[in-house]
Amino acid sequence: MRPPERKVQQSAAVPPVCSQSGAMMMHHHTATNGSIGKSLMVLRELLSEPRALRLSELCGRTGLARSTTYRIIRELIAGGVVSRSTKGYEVVLDIGPGPAAGPQSSSLRRLAPYTGDVLLHTGLTSSLAVLNGEEVVYLHRVHGHRCSWEEIDESGRTPAIRSASGRLLMAYSAEAARRALAAYSRSSMEWATLDRELAQIRRNGFAQYNRSESGTVCLSVLVPLAGARIALSARGQRTQVDVNRTLHWLKQIAGAASRELGQTA
């Protein structure tokens, strides 16, 4: 008597079943578990809100550990994509709506090498800055040996009224000056004093701001460009900054940048 035939399953011939939605879920799971995926998760949450988000909010929204979220935030700050303020963290580059959008965005990218020229000729930390509400945002910076690290280097922004670049840009924008003054509840006497200082900045063509807490001095000039107001600055320890020499190079470099970008626009 012949034994019954055994049915053999040809599993290799049958392809695994995977729906389109299942494939997308698998892809999403793989992507978000990697370091790039986690960074994108944090960035996505920052872009989803018009306000700054605190570290605890980002952890809650992404489900990432606090240490992981903090590491990602520090990397994004170092890359110039995110800035920190007293309100939390927010995106500052033109990957979404923000202060660098519009004509200023293209100009900033093309102006970036000129901060290196300032560093080369003065040895000082050099920055490009724009106004964003009552704050000034530093969207590109190169560091010199003659300047200590400050809080603005970590956050990428500071109240416009407390910086050379901010005061310079306010001097050419009455609306920006009113917003900045209103934000810090200045008295009528302080308003009048600042108004005189801004008028003096327009006459001189530069702004200077001394930080007593860090012992640094910052000088800033306007880069004359059509459709954009961008400040070029140099900062260093007060005892090491030759104001006249630094202003000479700032104006020379800003003028050269304006001529070259005007010709290639």
mmCIF file of all heavy atoms in Angstrom, residues 219-265:
data_model
loop_
_atom_site.group_PDB
_atom_site.id
_atom_site.type_symbol
_atom_site.label_atom_id
_atom_site.label_comp_id
_atom_site.label_asym_id
_atom_site.label_seq_id
_atom_site.Cartn_x
_atom_site.Cartn_y
_atom_site.Cartn_z
ATOM 1 N N LEU A 219 30.937 96.692 15.625
ATOM 2 C CA LEU A 219 30.741 97.738 14.627
ATOM 3 C C LEU A 219 29.967 97.154 13.458
ATOM 4 O O LEU A 219 30.224 96.008 13.056
ATOM 5 C CB LEU A 219 32.082 98.276 14.146
ATOM 6 C CG LEU A 219 32.960 98.906 15.235
ATOM 7 C CD1 LEU A 219 34.409 98.977 14.781
ATOM 8 C CD2 LEU A 219 32.456 100.294 15.595
ATOM 9 N N SER A 220 29.026 97.918 12.911
ATOM 10 C CA SER A 220 28.170 97.391 11.846
ATOM 11 C C SER A 220 27.912 98.445 10.787
ATOM 12 O O SER A 220 27.713 99.621 11.102
ATOM 13 C CB SER A 220 26.838 96.924 12.448
ATOM 14 O OG SER A 220 26.026 96.303 11.485
ATOM 15 N N VAL A 221 27.932 98.020 9.517
ATOM 16 C CA VAL A 221 27.612 98.900 8.388
ATOM 17 C C VAL A 221 26.559 98.213 7.522
ATOM 18 O O VAL A 221 26.413 96.995 7.547
ATOM 19 C CB VAL A 221 28.865 99.230 7.540
ATOM 20 C CG1 VAL A 221 29.932 99.899 8.382
ATOM 21 C CG2 VAL A 221 29.408 97.979 6.853
ATOM 22 N N LEU A 222 25.857 99.028 6.757
ATOM 23 C CA LEU A 222 24.824 98.510 5.867
ATOM 24 C C LEU A 222 25.433 98.113 4.529
ATOM 25 O O LEU A 222 26.274 98.828 3.985
ATOM 26 C CB LEU A 222 23.751 99.577 5.645
ATOM 27 C CG LEU A 222 22.410 99.122 5.062
ATOM 28 C CD1 LEU A 222 21.665 98.243 6.063
ATOM 29 C CD2 LEU A 222 21.573 100.347 4.710
ATOM 30 N N VAL A 223 25.020 96.956 4.021
ATOM 31 C CA VAL A 223 25.418 96.560 2.668
ATOM 32 C C VAL A 223 24.386 97.139 1.707
ATOM 33 O O VAL A 223 23.221 96.733 1.741
ATOM 34 C CB VAL A 223 25.481 95.030 2.516
ATOM 35 C CG1 VAL A 223 25.935 94.652 1.115
ATOM 36 C CG2 VAL A 223 26.429 94.434 3.551
ATOM 37 N N PRO A 224 24.762 98.106 0.868
ATOM 38 C CA PRO A 224 23.777 98.760 -0.005
ATOM 39 C C PRO A 224 23.305 97.841 -1.132
ATOM 40 O O PRO A 224 23.999 97.651 -2.118
ATOM 41 C CB PRO A 224 24.544 99.973 -0.582
ATOM 42 C CG PRO A 224 25.877 99.988 0.077
ATOM 43 C CD PRO A 224 26.108 98.628 0.652
ATOM 44 N N LEU A 225 22.147 97.252 -0.959
ATOM 45 C CA LEU A 225 21.568 96.358 -1.964
ATOM 46 C C LEU A 225 20.122 96.748 -2.224
ATOM 47 O O LEU A 225 19.402 97.137 -1.299
ATOM 48 C CB LEU A 225 21.620 94.905 -1.491
ATOM 49 C CG LEU A 225 22.993 94.270 -1.309
ATOM 50 C CD1 LEU A 225 22.839 92.911 -0.657
ATOM 51 C CD2 LEU A 225 23.702 94.133 -2.637
ATOM 52 N N ALA A 226 19.690 96.639 -3.452
ATOM 53 C CA ALA A 226 18.308 96.930 -3.798
ATOM 54 C C ALA A 226 17.393 95.829 -3.261
ATOM 55 O O ALA A 226 17.649 94.650 -3.463
ATOM 56 C CB ALA A 226 18.163 97.038 -5.317
ATOM 57 N N GLY A 227 16.360 96.221 -2.548
ATOM 58 C CA GLY A 227 15.362 95.257 -2.085
ATOM 59 C C GLY A 227 15.747 94.463 -0.855
ATOM 60 O O GLY A 227 15.062 93.520 -0.488
ATOM 61 N N ALA A 228 16.850 94.804 -0.199
ATOM 62 C CA ALA A 228 17.261 94.055 0.984
ATOM 63 C C ALA A 228 18.045 94.966 1.923
ATOM 64 O O ALA A 228 18.845 95.783 1.479
ATOM 65 C CB ALA A 228 18.120 92.854 0.595
ATOM 66 N N ARG A 229 17.780 94.816 3.225
ATOM 67 C CA ARG A 229 18.562 95.527 4.236
ATOM 68 C C ARG A 229 19.320 94.487 5.051
ATOM 69 O O ARG A 229 18.745 93.765 5.852
ATOM 70 C CB ARG A 229 17.651 96.362 5.139
ATOM 71 C CG ARG A 229 17.148 97.644 4.497
ATOM 72 C CD ARG A 229 16.649 98.621 5.544
ATOM 73 N NE ARG A 229 16.205 99.848 4.931
ATOM 74 C CZ ARG A 229 14.929 100.138 4.662
ATOM 75 N NH1 ARG A 229 13.998 99.249 4.960
ATOM 76 N NH2 ARG A 229 14.596 101.273 4.102
ATOM 77 N N ILE A 230 20.626 94.445 4.847
ATOM 78 C CA ILE A 230 21.483 93.460 5.499
ATOM 79 C C ILE A 230 22.656 94.180 6.138
ATOM 80 O O ILE A 230 23.274 95.058 5.520
ATOM 81 C CB ILE A 230 21.976 92.411 4.487
ATOM 82 C CG1 ILE A 230 20.789 91.694 3.853
ATOM 83 C CG2 ILE A 230 22.910 91.405 5.162
ATOM 84 C CD1 ILE A 230 21.155 90.761 2.717
ATOM 85 N N ALA A 231 22.966 93.829 7.370
ATOM 86 C CA ALA A 231 24.067 94.454 8.099
ATOM 87 C C ALA A 231 25.286 93.544 8.091
ATOM 88 O O ALA A 231 25.173 92.330 8.288
ATOM 89 C CB ALA A 231 23.645 94.749 9.536
ATOM 90 N N LEU A 232 26.448 94.129 7.873
ATOM 91 C CA LEU A 232 27.734 93.434 7.948
ATOM 92 C C LEU A 232 28.461 93.976 9.166
ATOM 93 O O LEU A 232 28.628 95.189 9.305
ATOM 94 C CB LEU A 232 28.551 93.677 6.683
ATOM 95 C CG LEU A 232 29.966 93.083 6.633
ATOM 96 C CD1 LEU A 232 29.912 91.554 6.612
ATOM 97 C CD2 LEU A 232 30.719 93.606 5.410
ATOM 98 N N SER A 233 28.900 93.096 10.053
ATOM 99 C CA SER A 233 29.486 93.563 11.313
ATOM 100 C C SER A 233 30.795 92.870 11.639
ATOM 101 O O SER A 233 31.133 91.826 11.066
ATOM 102 C CB SER A 233 28.495 93.354 12.466
ATOM 103 O OG SER A 233 28.308 91.963 12.699
ATOM 104 N N ALA A 234 31.524 93.470 12.581
ATOM 105 C CA ALA A 234 32.763 92.901 13.113
ATOM 106 C C ALA A 234 32.744 93.095 14.624
ATOM 107 O O ALA A 234 32.324 94.153 15.117
ATOM 108 C CB ALA A 234 33.977 93.573 12.493
ATOM 109 N N ARG A 235 33.192 92.075 15.359
ATOM 110 C CA ARG A 235 33.137 92.125 16.818
ATOM 111 C C ARG A 235 34.415 91.558 17.418
ATOM 112 O O ARG A 235 34.966 90.577 16.912
ATOM 113 C CB ARG A 235 31.941 91.301 17.306
ATOM 114 C CG ARG A 235 31.663 91.422 18.790
ATOM 115 C CD ARG A 235 30.562 90.466 19.213
ATOM 116 N NE ARG A 235 31.102 89.144 19.522
ATOM 117 C CZ ARG A 235 30.529 88.002 19.188
ATOM 118 N NH1 ARG A 235 29.431 87.996 18.485
ATOM 119 N NH2 ARG A 235 31.074 86.856 19.540
ATOM 120 N N GLY A 236 34.878 92.204 18.493
ATOM 121 C CA GLY A 236 36.068 91.713 19.172
ATOM 122 C C GLY A 236 36.201 92.329 20.555
ATOM 123 O O GLY A 236 35.391 93.181 20.951
ATOM 124 N N GLN A 237 37.223 91.916 21.285
ATOM 125 C CA GLN A 237 37.479 92.489 22.603
ATOM 126 C C GLN A 237 37.834 93.968 22.457
ATOM 127 O O GLN A 237 38.576 94.357 21.559
ATOM 128 C CB GLN A 237 38.616 91.741 23.292
ATOM 129 C CG GLN A 237 38.305 90.293 23.633
ATOM 130 C CD GLN A 237 37.126 90.164 24.589
ATOM 131 O OE1 GLN A 237 37.057 90.864 25.600
ATOM 132 N NE2 GLN A 237 36.193 89.270 24.276
ATOM 133 N N ARG A 238 37.292 94.799 23.357
ATOM 134 C CA ARG A 238 37.451 96.240 23.240
ATOM 135 C C ARG A 238 38.922 96.656 23.179
ATOM 136 O O ARG A 238 39.283 97.588 22.456
ATOM 137 C CB ARG A 238 36.756 96.937 24.416
ATOM 138 C CG ARG A 238 36.618 98.446 24.257
ATOM 139 C CD ARG A 238 35.853 99.071 25.400
ATOM 140 N NE ARG A 238 34.501 98.554 25.490
ATOM 141 C CZ ARG A 238 34.043 97.853 26.520
ATOM 142 N NH1 ARG A 238 34.827 97.550 27.532
ATOM 143 N NH2 ARG A 238 32.799 97.435 26.529
ATOM 144 N N THR A 239 39.758 95.974 23.932
ATOM 145 C CA THR A 239 41.179 96.347 23.978
ATOM 146 C C THR A 239 41.931 95.968 22.702
ATOM 147 O O THR A 239 43.054 96.417 22.491
ATOM 148 C CB THR A 239 41.866 95.663 25.172
ATOM 149 O OG1 THR A 239 41.653 94.238 25.084
ATOM 150 C CG2 THR A 239 41.298 96.169 26.492
ATOM 151 N N GLN A 240 41.321 95.139 21.860
ATOM 152 C CA GLN A 240 41.998 94.661 20.656
ATOM 153 C C GLN A 240 41.399 95.200 19.360
ATOM 154 O O GLN A 240 41.886 94.886 18.278
ATOM 155 C CB GLN A 240 41.955 93.121 20.630
ATOM 156 C CG GLN A 240 42.679 92.476 21.802
ATOM 157 C CD GLN A 240 42.517 90.959 21.809
ATOM 158 O OE1 GLN A 240 41.475 90.430 21.451
ATOM 159 N NE2 GLN A 240 43.570 90.269 22.212
ATOM 160 N N VAL A 241 40.353 96.024 19.471
ATOM 161 C CA VAL A 241 39.678 96.519 18.275
ATOM 162 C C VAL A 241 40.150 97.937 17.954
ATOM 163 O O VAL A 241 40.002 98.852 18.776
ATOM 164 C CB VAL A 241 38.151 96.511 18.448
ATOM 165 C CG1 VAL A 241 37.476 97.145 17.230
ATOM 166 C CG2 VAL A 241 37.648 95.084 18.637
ATOM 167 N N ASP A 242 40.716 98.103 16.777
ATOM 168 C CA ASP A 242 41.042 99.429 16.252
ATOM 169 C C ASP A 242 39.803 99.894 15.479
ATOM 170 O O ASP A 242 39.544 99.431 14.359
ATOM 171 C CB ASP A 242 42.267 99.339 15.338
ATOM 172 C CG ASP A 242 42.710 100.693 14.812
ATOM 173 O OD1 ASP A 242 41.840 101.561 14.587
ATOM 174 O OD2 ASP A 242 43.925 100.883 14.604
ATOM 175 N N VAL A 243 39.030 100.795 16.078
ATOM 176 C CA VAL A 243 37.737 101.187 15.515
ATOM 177 C C VAL A 243 37.879 101.766 14.109
ATOM 178 O O VAL A 243 37.161 101.371 13.189
ATOM 179 C CB VAL A 243 37.019 102.192 16.446
ATOM 180 C CG1 VAL A 243 35.761 102.750 15.771
ATOM 181 C CG2 VAL A 243 36.649 101.512 17.759
ATOM 182 N N ASN A 244 38.805 102.687 13.921
ATOM 183 C CA ASN A 244 38.949 103.330 12.613
ATOM 184 C C ASN A 244 39.360 102.333 11.532
ATOM 185 O O ASN A 244 38.829 102.349 10.418
ATOM 186 C CB ASN A 244 39.964 104.473 12.689
ATOM 187 C CG ASN A 244 39.444 105.641 13.507
ATOM 188 O OD1 ASN A 244 38.234 105.889 13.570
ATOM 189 N ND2 ASN A 244 40.341 106.362 14.160
ATOM 190 N N ARG A 245 40.311 101.475 11.867
ATOM 191 C CA ARG A 245 40.782 100.476 10.902
ATOM 192 C C ARG A 245 39.659 99.489 10.567
ATOM 193 O O ARG A 245 39.467 99.112 9.398
ATOM 194 C CB ARG A 245 41.995 99.743 11.449
ATOM 195 C CG ARG A 245 42.590 98.705 10.498
ATOM 196 C CD ARG A 245 43.875 98.117 11.068
ATOM 197 N NE ARG A 245 44.443 97.144 10.160
ATOM 198 C CZ ARG A 245 44.079 95.862 10.113
ATOM 199 N NH1 ARG A 245 43.155 95.415 10.957
ATOM 200 N NH2 ARG A 245 44.644 95.032 9.254
ATOM 201 N N THR A 246 38.930 99.054 11.595
ATOM 202 C CA THR A 246 37.845 98.101 11.377
ATOM 203 C C THR A 246 36.741 98.708 10.517
ATOM 204 O O THR A 246 36.223 98.065 9.590
ATOM 205 C CB THR A 246 37.255 97.638 12.728
ATOM 206 O OG1 THR A 246 38.296 97.036 13.516
ATOM 207 C CG2 THR A 246 36.137 96.622 12.521
ATOM 208 N N LEU A 247 36.381 99.960 10.787
ATOM 209 C CA LEU A 247 35.358 100.632 9.981
ATOM 210 C C LEU A 247 35.814 100.797 8.534
ATOM 211 O O LEU A 247 35.015 100.660 7.605
ATOM 212 C CB LEU A 247 35.029 101.998 10.584
ATOM 213 C CG LEU A 247 34.094 101.988 11.794
ATOM 214 C CD1 LEU A 247 33.980 103.387 12.385
ATOM 215 C CD2 LEU A 247 32.714 101.452 11.408
ATOM 216 N N HIS A 248 37.103 101.094 8.363
ATOM 217 C CA HIS A 248 37.627 101.219 7.004
ATOM 218 C C HIS A 248 37.384 99.942 6.214
ATOM 219 O O HIS A 248 36.868 99.983 5.084
ATOM 220 C CB HIS A 248 39.129 101.529 7.046
ATOM 221 C CG HIS A 248 39.814 101.341 5.728
ATOM 222 N ND1 HIS A 248 39.729 102.261 4.705
ATOM 223 C CD2 HIS A 248 40.595 100.320 5.254
ATOM 224 C CE1 HIS A 248 40.416 101.823 3.657
ATOM 225 N NE2 HIS A 248 40.955 100.655 3.967
ATOM 226 N N TRP A 249 37.717 98.786 6.808
ATOM 227 C CA TRP A 249 37.583 97.528 6.091
ATOM 228 C C TRP A 249 36.117 97.123 5.935
ATOM 229 O O TRP A 249 35.720 96.581 4.897
ATOM 230 C CB TRP A 249 38.378 96.425 6.787
ATOM 231 C CG TRP A 249 39.838 96.514 6.491
ATOM 232 C CD1 TRP A 249 40.855 96.803 7.348
ATOM 233 C CD2 TRP A 249 40.441 96.348 5.195
ATOM 234 N NE1 TRP A 249 42.059 96.834 6.688
ATOM 235 C CE2 TRP A 249 41.838 96.547 5.363
ATOM 236 C CE3 TRP A 249 39.962 96.054 3.926
ATOM 237 C CZ2 TRP A 249 42.727 96.447 4.307
ATOM 238 C CZ3 TRP A 249 40.856 95.964 2.874
ATOM 239 C CH2 TRP A 249 42.220 96.156 3.071
ATOM 240 N N LEU A 250 35.292 97.387 6.940
ATOM 241 C CA LEU A 250 33.870 97.069 6.813
ATOM 242 C C LEU A 250 33.243 97.831 5.643
ATOM 243 O O LEU A 250 32.507 97.260 4.832
ATOM 244 C CB LEU A 250 33.128 97.415 8.110
ATOM 245 C CG LEU A 250 33.206 96.400 9.260
ATOM 246 C CD1 LEU A 250 32.567 96.978 10.515
ATOM 247 C CD2 LEU A 250 32.539 95.076 8.888
ATOM 248 N N LYS A 251 33.538 99.114 5.540
ATOM 249 C CA LYS A 251 32.962 99.925 4.459
ATOM 250 C C LYS A 251 33.517 99.514 3.099
ATOM 251 O O LYS A 251 32.778 99.464 2.104
ATOM 252 C CB LYS A 251 33.231 101.402 4.733
ATOM 253 C CG LYS A 251 32.439 101.938 5.922
ATOM 254 C CD LYS A 251 32.776 103.401 6.206
ATOM 255 C CE LYS A 251 31.958 103.933 7.369
ATOM 256 N NZ LYS A 251 32.258 105.345 7.684
ATOM 257 N N GLN A 252 34.817 99.202 3.062
ATOM 258 C CA GLN A 252 35.414 98.767 1.802
ATOM 259 C C GLN A 252 34.787 97.467 1.311
ATOM 260 O O GLN A 252 34.439 97.322 0.143
ATOM 261 C CB GLN A 252 36.925 98.567 1.983
ATOM 262 C CG GLN A 252 37.728 99.843 2.155
ATOM 263 C CD GLN A 252 37.926 100.555 0.825
ATOM 264 O OE1 GLN A 252 37.253 101.539 0.527
ATOM 265 N NE2 GLN A 252 38.853 100.058 0.022
ATOM 266 N N ILE A 253 34.650 96.521 2.220
ATOM 267 C CA ILE A 253 34.125 95.199 1.863
ATOM 268 C C ILE A 253 32.637 95.273 1.538
ATOM 269 O O ILE A 253 32.154 94.632 0.594
ATOM 270 C CB ILE A 253 34.414 94.195 2.999
ATOM 271 C CG1 ILE A 253 35.935 93.963 3.091
ATOM 272 C CG2 ILE A 253 33.685 92.873 2.770
ATOM 273 C CD1 ILE A 253 36.377 93.247 4.353
ATOM 274 N N ALA A 254 31.877 96.066 2.303
ATOM 275 C CA ALA A 254 30.451 96.228 2.016
ATOM 276 C C ALA A 254 30.248 96.868 0.647
ATOM 277 O O ALA A 254 29.358 96.469 -0.122
ATOM 278 C CB ALA A 254 29.782 97.077 3.098
ATOM 279 N N GLY A 255 31.094 97.859 0.322
ATOM 280 C CA GLY A 255 31.006 98.500 -0.986
ATOM 281 C C GLY A 255 31.339 97.541 -2.117
ATOM 282 O O GLY A 255 30.667 97.518 -3.152
ATOM 283 N N ALA A 256 32.392 96.735 -1.912
ATOM 284 C CA ALA A 256 32.784 95.754 -2.931
ATOM 285 C C ALA A 256 31.680 94.722 -3.135
ATOM 286 O O ALA A 256 31.372 94.333 -4.273
ATOM 287 C CB ALA A 256 34.083 95.070 -2.513
ATOM 288 N N ALA A 257 31.072 94.280 -2.046
ATOM 289 C CA ALA A 257 29.982 93.303 -2.136
ATOM 290 C C ALA A 257 28.790 93.887 -2.890
ATOM 291 O O ALA A 257 28.194 93.233 -3.744
ATOM 292 C CB ALA A 257 29.554 92.874 -0.736
ATOM 293 N N SER A 258 28.471 95.147 -2.592
ATOM 294 C CA SER A 258 27.350 95.806 -3.259
ATOM 295 C C SER A 258 27.596 95.936 -4.762
ATOM 296 O O SER A 258 26.692 95.664 -5.563
ATOM 297 C CB SER A 258 27.129 97.196 -2.647
ATOM 298 O OG SER A 258 26.117 97.885 -3.329
ATOM 299 N N ARG A 259 28.808 96.312 -5.136
ATOM 300 C CA ARG A 259 29.120 96.474 -6.564
ATOM 301 C C ARG A 259 29.061 95.130 -7.294
ATOM 302 O O ARG A 259 28.492 95.020 -8.372
ATOM 303 C CB ARG A 259 30.507 97.109 -6.732
ATOM 304 C CG ARG A 259 30.549 98.581 -6.341
ATOM 305 C CD ARG A 259 31.865 99.204 -6.738
ATOM 306 N NE ARG A 259 33.007 98.603 -6.043
ATOM 307 C CZ ARG A 259 33.444 99.006 -4.851
ATOM 308 N NH1 ARG A 259 32.825 99.999 -4.218
ATOM 309 N NH2 ARG A 259 34.481 98.442 -4.290
ATOM 310 N N GLU A 260 29.639 94.103 -6.682
ATOM 311 C CA GLU A 260 29.688 92.798 -7.351
ATOM 312 C C GLU A 260 28.308 92.173 -7.458
ATOM 313 O O GLU A 260 27.908 91.658 -8.486
ATOM 314 C CB GLU A 260 30.628 91.842 -6.619
ATOM 315 C CG GLU A 260 30.789 90.521 -7.340
ATOM 316 C CD GLU A 260 31.926 89.681 -6.768
ATOM 317 O OE1 GLU A 260 32.882 90.257 -6.227
ATOM 318 O OE2 GLU A 260 31.832 88.450 -6.858
ATOM 319 N N LEU A 261 27.531 92.235 -6.370
ATOM 320 C CA LEU A 261 26.194 91.638 -6.397
ATOM 321 C C LEU A 261 25.269 92.443 -7.286
ATOM 322 O O LEU A 261 24.369 91.886 -7.921
ATOM 323 C CB LEU A 261 25.623 91.539 -4.987
ATOM 324 C CG LEU A 261 25.892 90.204 -4.262
ATOM 325 C CD1 LEU A 261 27.384 90.006 -4.018
ATOM 326 C CD2 LEU A 261 25.141 90.139 -2.960
ATOM 327 N N GLY A 262 25.503 93.765 -7.365
ATOM 328 C CA GLY A 262 24.681 94.596 -8.251
ATOM 329 C C GLY A 262 24.923 94.267 -9.711
ATOM 330 O O GLY A 262 23.999 94.264 -10.531
ATOM 331 N N GLN A 263 26.157 93.910 -10.027
ATOM 332 C CA GLN A 263 26.496 93.581 -11.414
ATOM 333 C C GLN A 263 25.971 92.217 -11.817
ATOM 334 O O GLN A 263 25.686 91.964 -12.994
ATOM 335 C CB GLN A 263 28.023 93.613 -11.613
ATOM 336 C CG GLN A 263 28.600 95.017 -11.512
ATOM 337 C CD GLN A 263 30.114 95.009 -11.494
ATOM 338 O OE1 GLN A 263 30.734 93.936 -11.536
ATOM 339 N NE2 GLN A 263 30.725 96.186 -11.420
ATOM 340 N N THR A 264 25.854 91.292 -10.840
ATOM 341 C CA THR A 264 25.446 89.917 -11.154
ATOM 342 C C THR A 264 23.969 89.668 -10.888
ATOM 343 O O THR A 264 23.482 88.573 -11.066
ATOM 344 C CB THR A 264 26.270 88.903 -10.329
ATOM 345 O OG1 THR A 264 26.093 89.183 -8.931
ATOM 346 C CG2 THR A 264 27.738 89.009 -10.689
ATOM 347 N N ALA A 265 23.288 90.687 -10.412
ATOM 348 C CA ALA A 265 21.855 90.505 -10.075
ATOM 349 C C ALA A 265 21.028 90.273 -11.332
ATOM 350 O O ALA A 265 21.352 90.751 -12.391
ATOM 351 C CB ALA A 265 21.347 91.741 -9.338
#
